[in-house]
Amino acid sequence: QTQDILLTMGTDFTYRQAESYFSNIDLLIHTVMLGQDWGLWNLTEIFEGLDTRRVNIFYSTPDYYTLRKYHQTKQAALQKDK
């Protein structure tokens, strides 16, 4: 298990109204990050198995996500071998 979670957004037809769609995603990211700063919720209670009290949400690509997963899995294997 690694630290990154891929959260896919949208469908084939979502991007016909891209401006409002991305504005809503921006609002979601802002709200989650600000809510953490203000202590409005405890994410370890919301997401079972989460081993941190803080998350970092950002736009990414499938390539970046896959690369991060690869490096985290490789690092975990190296630590296990020690």
Side-chain angles (χ1 to χ4, degrees), residues 2-72:
T2 62
Q3 299 174 351
D4 294 318
I5 300 170
L6 176 65
L7 184 61
T8 58
M9 305 289 239
T11 63
D12 290 341
F13 302 105
T14 302
Y15 301 104
R16 289 183 181 185
Q17 299 160 346
E19 186 175 341
S20 65
Y21 184 75
F22 280 101
S23 291
N24 287 332
I25 293 175
D26 290 342
L27 181 60
L28 173 66
I29 291 171
H30 176 76
T31 302
V32 169
M33 299 301 282
L34 195 59
Q36 291 178 112
D37 293 342
W38 290 354
L40 297 178
W41 46 71
N42 181 350
L43 294 175
T44 55
E45 293 174 1
I46 297 170
F47 299 104
E48 293 180 25
L50 188 67
D51 62 352
T52 184
R53 295 184 56 86
R54 185 163 181 84
V55 296
N56 185 24
I57 301 173
F58 56 92
Y59 288 103
S60 187
T61 64
D63 287 343
Y64 182 76
Y65 172 77
T66 303
L67 184 64
R68 290 267 308 173
K69 292 293 261 189
Y70 171 76
H71 286 297
Q72 289 175 8

